[in-house]
Amino acid sequence: MLCVVVVAVLALAPAMLRGVPSNIDLWNHYRIALPLYDAVRNGDLSPGWLAESSGGYGDPSFRFYPPGAYYLLGAARALTGEWYAASLLAFTLLSILGGLGVYFWARASLTRQQAMWAGIFFTLMPYHVNELYQAFMLPEYAGCSVLPFCFAFVERICRRRNTRDVVGLAASFAVLVLTHLPLTVIGGLGLLAYALFRMEKGKRVATLLRLASGAALGLAASAFYWVTMLAELSWVRTNTTQADLSVDYRYNFLFQTFSPENMNVWWMNFIAFATLALVLPGVALFARGSLKRR
């Protein structure tokens, strides 16, 4: 476990030594984090209107963006006293959390050493590193650090079906909802498929009841955010004025083009190939094991 923590800290060494990568996503996240911090300091724990944006007219970003990553940044700011150190502290904590989450998940079925390598590989996974260094998708980076805990508790419920693991699933799923919505949807589908694959025959009903209880409790714990968000979703008019096709999902698909003129797709192609390459050692080991058994 200590090795996972060390690698997770070293993964942030470039940011500590050379500075935090800057792009438009970084600006947008701090546009929300700074006024949220000020609002909490003034006693408003869940603000509903971002007054500083749009030339003073404001916007309802607080009501739609999941607040989890911004509360973490605010807590780090309160501890360190300034935003730059707070940012590095928050990034490092998230890196450690993700590695330990995968270690915790893998430890349910693998040896200690195998679980250690799983945590290390996750920390250095190309797309996960890309989330911070190239795109600065901070809430997604945070969500990726929480999602392994959801899988870990699903695994434990499928194996043991005890109440403590149901509570763990509820807590981790609630944090995921409050951190990143797309990852909640994608991860939720993944959790369902994983649970159906891992459930023991003859105990599926009892397992499903516990899994459903954990998910329902997680949704209930995060309802203060998502109930309002869904009720006011019709307010959102994204990409309807000065439309930019580069951020429209209907026009951006993996491997649809290899031209660097579409930078989003070109870069994602590169990351996809690098990520898929991580499967090759596993395929080689599986094939070698199959040949030995034959």
Side-chain angles (χ1 to χ4, degrees):
M1 185 183 297
L2 180 60
C3 290
V4 176
V5 174
V6 170
V7 172
V9 173
L10 290 177
L12 268 295
M16 296 176 185
L17 298 175
R18 300 295 301 274
V20 177
S22 176
N23 61 25
I24 193 170
D25 284 52
L26 179 144
W27 174 86
N28 182 62
H29 294 316
Y30 283 92
R31 181 182 70 90
I32 298 173
L34 271 66
L36 178 65
Y37 173 76
D38 292 335
V40 171
R41 286 188 62 192
N42 292 324
D44 187 358
L45 300 181
S46 184
W49 191 256
L50 178 55
E52 290 86 349
S53 67
S54 305
Y57 288 100
D59 69 51
S61 295
F62 285 146
R63 309 179 78 86
F64 296 103
Y65 273 90
Y70 308 121
Y71 281 120
L72 174 63
L73 278 173
R77 166 66 174 81
L79 286 173
T80 61
E82 53 105 358
W83 282 105
Y84 191 76
S87 301
L88 291 177
L89 175 60
F91 304 159
T92 303
L93 289 176
L94 289 173
S95 181
I96 293 172
L97 183 69
L100 291 180
V102 173
Y103 177 88
F104 178 59
W105 175 17
R107 193 67 186 90
S109 54
L110 301 177
T111 66
R112 193 182 304 274
Q113 186 178 33
Q114 291 169 333
M116 176 197 74
W117 282 111
I120 290 173
F121 286 141
F122 174 80
T123 301
L124 302 177
M125 189 171 63
Y127 186 79
H128 192 46
V129 174
N130 167 80
E131 288 174 320
L132 186 65
Y133 280 103
Q134 195 277 333
F136 202 84
M137 299 180 290
L138 178 59
E140 186 175 318
Y141 186 77
C144 273
S145 297
V146 175
L147 185 59
F149 286 95
C150 297
F151 277 99
F153 284 113
V154 166
E155 172 70 25
R156 280 163 170 74
I157 290 173
C158 291
R159 283 170 171 266
R160 305 185 303 194
R161 292 171 294 280
N162 64 39
T163 303
R164 183 172 59 185
D165 294 325
V166 173
V167 174
L169 175 61
S172 54
F173 191 66
V175 174
L176 180 63
V177 173
L178 294 172
T179 304
H180 193 250
L181 289 180
L183 200 58
T184 298
V185 176
I186 298 169
L189 294 172
L191 290 167
L192 176 60
Y194 184 79
L196 293 174
F197 180 75
R198 294 297 294 158
M199 283 188 293
E200 298 178 11
K201 292 181 180 180
K203 300 178 181 178
R204 289 177 177 172
V205 174
T207 304
L208 277 174
L209 286 174
R210 285 167 173 77
L211 290 171
S213 298
L217 287 171
L219 289 173
S222 57
F224 70 92
Y225 158 69
W226 62 262
V227 168
T228 303
M229 182 272 296
L230 288 179
E232 299 172 351
L233 196 58
S234 60
W235 295 7
V236 177
R237 292 291 183 269
T238 303
N239 213 35
T240 54
T241 60
Q242 298 180 343
D244 181 2
L245 296 183
S246 70
V247 295
D248 192 327
Y249 72 93
R250 294 172 297 180
Y251 299 94
N252 293 273
F253 295 92
L254 200 62
F255 307 133
Q256 77 177 42
T257 179
F258 291 90
S259 171
E261 292 182 3
N262 189 330
M263 183 58 68
N264 285 344
V265 175
W266 180 86
W267 180 250
M268 284 299 103
N269 290 342
F270 178 78
I271 294 297
F273 280 125
T275 302
L276 291 172
L278 293 177
V279 179
L280 297 179
V283 172
L285 289 171
F286 180 79
R288 188 179 71 173
S290 298
L291 288 172
K292 283 185 176 181
R293 283 194 296 272
R294 289 176 187 172

